[in-house]
Amino acid sequence: MTATTCPTDPTAVPPTDTALDLLEPFVARVLPGTVRRIATWRSLSSAVATDLLDDLRQELALDCLQHGRAIRDLPQPERHRRWMRLVECWIRRQTRASRRGACPQPDPELLISREAAPTDELPELPELPAAFSRRMRNGRCNLSACARDGGATQHALRREVDALVARLGRGARYVGFWRNRLAEVLTGLAADLLRQRGALQVVRGATSAPDPQRRLLRLRRLRRRVPVWRNAIDLRRVMRRWSSLPDVLAASPRQLLEQATELNPFLGTAWLWLFEACVDENDLLAAARALRRARWCASRPDAALHLSRVRLREAAGDFAGALARLDRLIARHPAEGLLRHVRAQVTDS
């Protein structure tokens, strides 16, 4: 019999997964206040600080993926100080690069050096068979040649490589992280295109003006970070499609949002923006489907969902019914100030 690893054994959990779990409460509770304080010190507007949150969450998650074991072993105060230093440095470099028109680069001072990094990660990995030494000109493993030399099938070798990737902490959750980031970037790009074209009316002052160029730069940065692995090949194809087209800014927002919802069907904001894109194209049946999918998502903003239901009735030509539904929603959700704000706008107009 072969020994099996107990599922409750903490050493069986990849360190990157543990580091990402530790990051979630920091992003939810500590990061917004940290960004506000740094923005005040550097005389940045609140709109700019809000826009930086998504990029910073991505940078911190990347730090967890690169140095999962070191972050897991740090005490909470030191771990939080590390991330706050990373945030401050990234914002500093971002503001400097925006003045020069260049893309910010990571600060090497905040990355763990090879000497300081744990040295016990690689010895724990399983040793690759000698057959894997066959390489192609580009440095990648030649699986067909390895299969012939070792008398195994390519399928068996791929399963062995997948098991190794999972033990490295680069399995389904790692790829899922990049999948969600790509869905968020495509959603932001489509939302900016809709706002820039005047396809919708913003009921409350937006945090910043639409900037599709900035979203496109973030998409191209993301493309450089997603690994070239078999389990991430679909992400590479999506990014190659949208980041290589010269006229990507003239693309249909609906196409971008449909792609985003395929990548992450649980992203409520993507479904709500897809609803807006369908209404803009006067496809009310597809808009109703997108709205129904948004209702199933736990992450969707409730006020935006309520207003979308009102907007769907208005788009169908029933303005009186839309107004009556808005009044019922205000009575049912008195704490939603956005609903009262929209009602006041309708009254003033």
Side-chain angles (χ1 to χ4, degrees):
M1 292 181 62
T2 58
T4 58
T5 304
C6 179
T8 58
D9 184 1
T11 60
V13 181
T16 52
D17 289 3
T18 306
L20 288 171
D21 290 338
L22 294 171
L23 178 63
E24 291 178 3
F26 177 84
V27 169
R29 302 169 190 169
V30 183
L31 181 60
T34 302
V35 173
R36 284 195 300 269
R37 287 193 296 271
I38 297 174
T40 302
W41 298 337
R42 306 193 69 83
S43 300
L44 302 177
S45 65
S46 58
V48 173
T50 303
D51 290 339
L52 292 176
L53 284 175
D54 288 339
D55 288 334
L56 287 168
R57 180 176 61 175
Q58 178 175 307
E59 293 296 324
L60 295 177
L62 182 62
D63 185 44
C64 292
L65 296 175
Q66 291 176 335
H67 311 106
R69 185 179 297 275
I71 292 174
R72 184 196 64 182
D73 296 339
L74 285 175
Q76 179 176 329
E78 294 183 18
R79 185 168 57 245
H80 285 192
R81 282 195 293 269
R82 169 195 175 89
W83 284 334
M84 285 189 282
R85 289 196 302 269
L86 181 60
V87 166
E88 182 179 4
C89 181
W90 194 92
I91 292 177
R92 182 177 69 249
R93 298 180 68 86
Q94 171 76 10
T95 52
R96 288 178 181 175
S98 62
R99 298 189 188 104
R100 298 192 303 263
C103 293
Q105 300 295 326
D107 190 348
E109 296 178 358
L110 294 171
L111 301 180
I112 297 181
S113 64
R114 290 189 178 183
E115 293 77 14
T119 58
D120 57 339
E121 291 192 23
L122 291 178
E124 294 180 1
L125 300 177
E127 207 174 307
L128 286 176
F132 281 101
S133 60
R134 295 292 296 271
R135 300 285 175 177
M136 295 186 288
R137 288 185 178 180
N138 60 4
R140 297 175 63 183
C141 179
N142 191 334
L143 281 181
S144 60
C146 292
R148 287 194 305 268
D149 294 347
T153 64
Q154 292 189 40
H155 180 68
L157 290 181
R158 286 196 181 98
R159 283 190 304 177
E160 194 168 351
V161 171
D162 290 343
L164 175 63
V165 167
R167 290 201 58 185
L168 274 166
R170 301 297 192 267
R173 180 166 182 175
Y174 181 83
V175 177
F177 165 79
W178 293 114
R179 187 183 305 277
N180 295 339
R181 300 293 80 75
L182 179 56
E184 292 170 359
V185 172
L186 292 179
T187 300
L189 177 58
D192 278 4
L193 290 175
L194 283 171
R195 292 169 56 198
Q196 190 177 60
R197 298 175 187 179
L200 52 90
Q201 180 182 1
V202 181
V203 297
R204 178 176 287 178
T207 57
S208 62
D211 190 359
Q213 290 286 353
R214 175 176 167 271
R215 303 281 189 179
L216 187 57
L217 287 175
R218 185 182 175 196
L219 177 61
R220 289 170 178 168
R221 291 200 303 268
L222 194 67
R223 183 180 178 182
R224 293 193 294 268
R225 292 177 177 175
V226 171
V228 188
W229 293 335
R230 185 168 65 95
N231 55 356
I233 192 64
D234 58 329
L235 305 187
R236 306 286 306 180
R237 289 171 180 162
V238 170
M239 289 185 290
R240 184 165 59 247
R241 175 187 180 188
W242 294 114
S243 62
S244 300
L245 290 176
D247 57 345
V248 65
L249 299 182
S252 166
R254 181 173 176 176
Q255 290 179 321
L256 290 167
L257 291 164
E258 287 173 346
Q259 185 76 78
T261 54
E262 288 179 11
L263 291 169
N264 186 358
F266 305 102
L267 186 59
T269 53
W271 288 109
L272 290 174
W273 279 110
L274 179 59
F275 163 82
E276 295 288 350
C278 293
V279 170
D280 178 57
E281 296 182 2
N282 202 27
D283 189 350
L284 300 187
L285 184 59
R289 287 197 297 265
L291 187 58
R292 184 167 60 250
R293 293 297 301 270
R295 293 178 62 187
W296 297 343
C297 299
S299 62
R300 80 285 190 275
D302 291 334
L305 181 65
H306 298 328
L307 289 176
S308 297
R309 297 170 62 189
V310 174
R311 178 164 165 76
L312 182 61
R313 179 162 291 190
E314 179 189 7
D318 186 7
F319 182 77
L323 197 60
R325 169 166 287 193
L326 180 58
D327 290 335
R328 290 196 300 271
L329 288 171
I330 292 174
R332 191 179 307 166
H333 306 281
E336 291 286 359
L338 184 59
L339 300 177
R340 295 195 302 273
H341 178 78
V342 173
R343 188 64 175 88
Q345 280 190 340
V346 173
T347 304
D348 295 339
S349 59

